[in-house]
Amino acid sequence: MSLSSEQLKELLLRANLLSADQFSLAQKEAELKNTSLEEYLSESGFISDIHLGQLIANYLKLNFVDLAHEKIAEETLLAIPEIVAKNQKAIAFGKDEENVYVATSNSENCE
């Protein structure tokens, strides 16, 4: 499930990260720049992409992982073939005897 712009607005207002006016301005600017609102908010310095990712993951009741701080073994990376990883925008970042832990930018991707 992705967040609608209204859900994102509610989330950011509730966290006191933006005012309603700032959100409206950001929404218009993102449309003008032909970019996603989330990307615009991060690039414009309203909120870091990590903080935004954490807020959204918490809202959706999903786990969040910052892959910049993960050391990923080559064996783990290869658990998902490169072409599949690119198509699904997914990466294996952890592995134990029973599980492979996968991160994806699409919260609806269960393939």
Side-chain angles (χ1 to χ4, degrees):
M1 170 188 168
S2 298
L3 292 183
S4 69
S5 57
E6 279 305 309
Q7 289 170 315
L8 183 58
K9 179 180 180 179
E10 175 189 330
L11 183 64
L12 294 170
L13 292 177
R14 194 174 343 130
N16 293 317
L17 294 169
L18 291 176
S19 68
D21 289 342
Q22 288 174 312
F23 185 86
S24 294
L25 178 63
Q27 201 169 25
K28 289 175 188 169
E29 288 295 320
E31 286 177 23
L32 287 173
K33 295 182 184 282
N34 198 28
T35 188
S36 73
L37 179 57
E38 295 87 349
E39 190 173 331
Y40 178 80
L41 289 168
S42 175
E43 289 177 356
S44 298
F46 284 106
I47 185 171
S48 74
D49 60 334
I50 299 298
H51 191 183
L52 183 59
Q54 290 169 332
L55 283 173
I56 292 171
N58 288 341
Y59 183 86
L60 296 174
K61 296 179 176 46
L62 297 171
N63 293 325
F64 177 85
V65 62
D66 178 3
L67 293 175
H69 299 293
E70 294 290 322
K71 291 187 181 187
I72 305 171
E74 186 174 354
E75 174 188 333
T76 302
L77 275 176
L78 298 175
I80 300 174
E82 183 178 357
I83 193 161
V84 174
K86 284 182 180 180
N87 286 336
Q88 298 296 324
K89 295 182 181 177
I91 183 170
F93 68 91
K95 187 175 169 183
D96 60 29
E97 290 188 23
E98 298 175 7
N99 302 297
V100 173
Y101 300 94
V102 177
T104 179
S105 60
N106 180 355
S107 63
E108 297 175 347
N109 185 355
C110 297
E111 287 186 44

